[in-house]
Amino acid sequence: MADINVSLTARTGKSEPGASPRLSPAPEGEPMLDLIELLFFAYRNFVSDPDEILHGFGFGRAHHRVLHFVNRHPGMRVTDLLDILRITKQSLGRVLRELVDQGFIDSRAGASDRRQRLLYLTPKGEALTQEFVAIQSRRLRRALEESGGESRDLVRRFLVAMIDPEDRSATEKLIARADQAVEARSATRSRPAG
Amino acid sequence: MADINVSLTARTGKSEPGASPRLSPAPEGEPMLDLIELLFFAYRNFVSDPDEILHGFGFGRAHHRVLHFVNRHPGMRVTDLLDILRITKQSLGRVLRELVDQGFIDSRAGASDRRQRLLYLTPKGEALTQEFVAIQSRRLRRALEESGGESRDLVRRFLVAMIDPEDRSATEKLIARADQAVEARSATRSRPAG
DNA sequence: ACATTTATGTCAGCCATGTTGACTTTTTTC
DNA sequence: GAAAAAAGTCAACATGGCTGACATAAATGT
């Protein structure tokens, strides 16, 4: 059910079994057809879990992205979000308004620069976002365990290397900065009002 | 330019540097935030190359998927394609009609079952599809090289494990069947007409 | 032979999420 | 005081999903 079971009745005729591998030597390297398709199927499943939950709120994938990055960068500006998502102000505006109106995101004017709208998750938004992170982390953890020993580092390096070279360092810095901020916040929490 | 450079001027205040790692022990395993985000950025870049080319033809991502799977399974039925893509007949119908009208795909009635419409790429469609495969394979190959030795097998296992368990075997069979068909075809080509 | 099922296609309309272009308001910066 | 920056808004449009209803041709079952 809802499977990828294909019968392909038409071409079930001659199959020419005496085919030795690599007869045409592939002029520009072998085509990575399996990986291309696996990436498609894997990514589809990866995003489907949050999608289903969000559908219950009348939200979609775009809302997920906004929640995710605001969670990772509390107090970020609208411009920052636009740079990360690479969509137009108008597209972001729509989902952001919905998220603010329904109490998932809080938008406060900047203290030093009052033109800015700094974005924060409300407790409600935080709870929902944690749920997404948990689900997707579970899938990733399971996949890493099943694919063997020190796969995590290798998969990470692979994913970084899949990014356009000119974007890599910025992306890695972005992630590092978010991780730092999380550490700082949890340190503050463990020593309340230190 | 079009970078992911975020300044985050607002939160550049207190950072509480004395934070030892893992203060909150993460009740359900550590959140894989870096991988979640890297997958997002990597996939976005991965699909952007074909997207740009297709834009020149007035086509989009949906057309890419159809071309890709028809290339991999020549003579497949419309139903097969629907099962793989998991979209509605109406959605597929739209892009399929455009691809047939503009001479990228050929749709022939089945010989044994004349209700069926069997899908084939035209030479024009084949050329375009090869281009996509080449571009995406290049990116994958580069990434695998950069992430070290026997990364290909591990990445493949990882991607398979990212798929919903109940879909995995069907997906792997689908890929295997397509690979077989390619071998059979190239064997036939090298020994033309037996 | 006839009823049913299957494979495909089509019309109409809706929704989510992207786009361009134009314009405003507020605030900061030069 | 002018220019630039941050944010928001209105209008219109494109793409690619969706549902529901219906039509046709061909295969299958009784």
Side-chain angles (χ1 to χ4, degrees), chain A residues 79-186:
Chain A
T79 305
D80 300 333
L81 198 44
L82 288 174
D83 287 343
I84 292 175
L85 298 177
R86 292 186 189 166
I87 58 177
T88 57
K89 185 170 54 161
Q90 295 90 327
S91 295
L92 176 58
R94 233 170 355 208
V95 306
L96 200 47
R97 186 180 346 112
E98 292 168 349
L99 287 167
V100 170
D101 285 354
Q102 302 199 28
F104 291 90
I105 284 187
D106 203 9
S107 159
R108 307 206 276 266
S112 56
D113 185 336
R114 305 221 333 270
R115 289 173 304 180
Q116 301 174 350
R117 292 290 172 273
L118 307 184
L119 305 174
Y120 298 88
L121 292 189
T122 64
K124 190 176 164 189
E126 210 164 319
L128 186 56
T129 307
Q130 294 308 332
E131 202 180 334
F132 299 146
V133 171
I135 291 182
Q136 294 195 312
S137 296
R138 216 175 296 140
R139 184 185 290 266
L140 281 162
R141 209 156 37 235
R142 188 198 62 195
L144 291 174
E145 279 162 14
E146 289 183 24
S147 47
E150 16 75 81
S151 57
R152 200 201 142 119
D153 281 355
L154 194 147
V155 166
R156 195 194 205 281
R157 282 201 306 276
F158 166 73
L159 289 175
V160 170
M162 283 287 288
I163 297 173
D164 287 346
E166 63 270 30
D167 293 346
R168 277 183 215 168
S169 84
T171 305
E172 290 193 283
K173 276 179 201 154
L174 182 78
I175 293 175
R177 190 163 46 237
D179 287 341
Q180 274 179 9
V182 167
E183 275 175 33
R185 271 180 287 154
S186 64

Side-chain angles (χ1 to χ4, degrees), chain B residues 77-79 89-90 97 115-117:
Chain B
R77 296 171 305 163
V78 172
T79 306
K89 183 169 54 160
Q90 296 89 326
R97 186 179 347 109
R115 290 172 304 180
Q116 300 175 350
R117 291 290 172 272

Side-chain angles (χ1 to χ4, degrees), chain A residues 43-53 61 139, chain B residues 164:
Chain A
Y43 193 80
R44 179 169 69 181
N45 282 176
F46 180 66
V47 294
S48 70
D49 307 312
D51 276 6
E52 282 166 32
I53 296 172
R61 198 166 301 182
R139 184 185 290 266
Chain B
D164 287 345

